[in-house]
Amino acid sequence: MMGKLISFIGMDGAGKTSLVNLLKKELEKKNYSVKIVYAGRGKSNILPIQLFGKIYRKSGGSESNVPIIGKNFERINMIHTVAAPIFAFDMFLRYLFIILPSQLKNNFVLTDRYSTDILLMNKVPGLLKQLLYSFFPKPNKVFYIYNTIKILHKRKPNHSIKDLKRQEKIFKKLLPKINAEKIKNDSLSKSVSKILRAI
């Protein structure tokens, strides 16, 4: 029997990682077996993504949440577009080789981020992002963890307000389509209680 795949999505600073770790402990107290998988773009890669990152930075690029100014803008657009399928493929490999086998062994697989990370890619054509996103199986349940832009920026000051607003617009369009349950994370314990009731 397949375990439930439950994904936690949202912007940086919303508290997804802390929430997932606490939820795992609470579920294990109830004698469920639980596996946490980081399923976003930033780390835990199978492919040598960090190598691509070095090449990108040498070409004049910077992190997606930092505004790009100057003559390298067009080139950086192309670099992002070419890199998008590589990141998506790495994420799909993690689904095949980590998430799927974990579902066969556990009652719950909790993902910190998921394929929606593809839709958040900056400076990548929307149609390409939608195509890459379409290859991923849908989770049993999706929780959108959020807070105000002001609080998110306070928690992660290196993430620009401009990019947080960009991501917020993307999520507002996406959430009704994926039937995500919204959790405003002001208190980890209260948020976990809401999630436990929902699952």
Side-chain angles (χ1 to χ4, degrees):
M1 185 176 173
M2 292 281 282
K4 287 187 178 180
L5 175 58
I6 302 175
S7 293
F8 293 81
I9 63 173
M11 294 180 284
D12 286 347
K16 297 180 298 297
T17 303
S18 301
L19 198 54
V20 166
N21 288 329
L22 183 57
L23 180 62
K24 180 179 188 287
K25 290 177 184 176
E26 293 301 314
L27 286 169
E28 286 175 340
K29 286 178 186 176
K30 299 176 186 295
N31 296 316
Y32 290 111
S33 57
V34 184
K35 171 77 173 177
I36 294 174
V37 179
Y38 181 86
R41 290 175 290 140
K43 58 185 180 182
S44 302
N45 308 105
I46 290 177
L47 298 175
I49 297 291
Q50 303 307 321
L51 175 63
F52 295 117
K54 286 178 184 177
I55 294 168
Y56 167 59
R57 284 189 291 276
K58 280 184 181 178
S59 72
S62 61
E63 299 302 323
S64 65
N65 61 338
V66 179
I68 304 298
I69 299 170
K71 62 183 180 182
N72 285 336
F73 183 77
E74 290 300 324
R75 182 171 58 164
I76 289 165
N77 265 337
M78 182 58 67
I79 290 168
H80 277 244
T81 300
V82 170
I86 297 168
F87 278 101
F89 182 56
D90 181 82
M91 291 164 69
F92 194 75
L93 289 176
R94 272 179 280 164
Y95 174 80
L96 285 179
F97 296 112
I98 301 173
I99 294 173
L100 194 56
S102 297
Q103 281 185 269
L104 296 171
K105 297 176 184 176
N106 296 278
N107 300 116
F108 293 97
V109 177
L110 312 177
T111 68
D112 181 349
R113 300 178 181 267
Y114 190 54
S115 55
T116 50
D117 248 24
I118 293 168
L119 301 175
L120 298 179
M121 290 178 175
N122 202 2
K123 299 184 281 292
V124 177
L127 286 176
L128 176 60
K129 292 192 287 187
Q130 289 289 343
L131 175 65
L132 296 171
Y133 173 69
S134 70
F135 287 102
F136 287 79
K138 302 300 178 264
N140 298 104
K141 187 79 177 171
V142 179
F143 290 97
Y144 172 62
I145 312 303
Y146 75 101
N147 216 308
T148 65
I149 296 287
K150 185 178 179 180
I151 288 174
L152 296 179
H153 184 62
K154 187 176 179 181
R155 292 176 183 171
K156 299 275 185 176
N158 290 334
H159 203 131
S160 73
I161 290 175
K162 182 179 177 181
D163 193 65
L164 288 170
K165 288 180 177 178
R166 178 189 70 86
Q167 291 187 31
E168 188 176 53
K169 285 181 184 176
I170 292 169
F171 277 122
K172 279 183 180 176
K173 289 180 182 176
L174 174 67
L175 296 180
K177 297 176 185 176
I178 62 174
N179 197 28
E181 186 160 339
K182 295 172 71 174
I183 303 282
K184 187 175 183 183
N185 188 27
D186 288 319
S187 160
L188 283 175
S189 58
K190 288 180 181 176
S191 296
V192 166
S193 295
K194 289 178 185 175
I195 292 163
L196 285 171
R197 286 195 296 271
I199 62 174

